[in-house]
Amino acid sequence: MHTILQPEGWAKPIGYANGVAARGRLVFVGGQVGWNAECRFETDDFAGQVRQTLANIVAVLAEAGGGPHHITSMTWYFTDKAEYLANLKGIGEAYRAVIGRHFPAMAAMQVMALVEDRAKVEIQATAVIPE
């Protein structure tokens, strides 16, 4: 279904893949933030918002008949790199609880702000669901 692309001689990445090759139906998940289905934030905790954001991505994928294991790429945007780095353990726990041990190609970056003022993180995802 998906093939991880790991160039020979490269150090193995931790928590992401350098590249992924896949065939099937493409699903593009717009940037999700850490609010619930009613567009309300239940926490200002960074890892808590990551958990909800990932759950939102999984919910959108379910609408297409997919799951977290179909994700091929994720782009993470956060407003505070120091807060992101200080919460890596909680982020990892939230990720494994929602996504499992599936690690797609990823990019992460600090941005000046997100459109939703209370949002600390926004994640965009691409998935490939076999036909």
Side-chain angles (χ1 to χ4, degrees), residues 2 4 8-9 20 25-26 43 45 61 65 70-71 80 82 95 97 100 102 121 129 131:
H2 296 122
I4 301 299
E8 188 175 329
V20 178
R25 184 166 50 101
L26 293 173
T43 184
D45 174 70
L61 286 176
H70 294 121
I71 298 170
D80 186 337
Y95 186 93
H102 172 70
V121 62
I129 301 173
E131 297 190 76

Side-chain angles (χ1 to χ4, degrees), residues 17-117:
N18 286 306
V20 178
R23 287 181 185 248
R25 184 166 50 101
L26 293 173
V27 177
F28 301 94
V29 180
Q32 299 296 308
V33 296
W35 60 18
N36 63 25
E38 291 79 38
C39 300
R40 291 190 195 107
F41 288 92
E42 296 177 1
T43 184
D44 289 316
D45 174 70
F46 194 94
Q49 283 198 16
V50 166
R51 181 182 293 264
Q52 182 63 57
T53 301
L54 295 171
N56 294 345
I57 290 168
V58 170
V60 173
L61 286 176
E63 286 297 307
H69 58 287
H70 294 121
I71 298 170
T72 55
S73 176
M74 300 174 92
T75 304
W76 295 52
Y77 306 92
F78 40 82
T79 56
D80 186 337
K81 178 183 171 185
E83 187 174 20
Y84 170 82
L85 293 173
N87 283 280
L88 288 177
K89 182 177 180 192
I91 291 167
E93 290 169 359
Y95 186 93
R96 287 185 301 278
V98 178
I99 305 296
R101 295 202 173 270
H102 172 70
F103 303 106
M106 289 193 215
M109 64 198 78
Q110 177 177 307
V111 295
M112 179 78 82
L114 297 168
V115 172
E116 296 301 326
D117 289 335

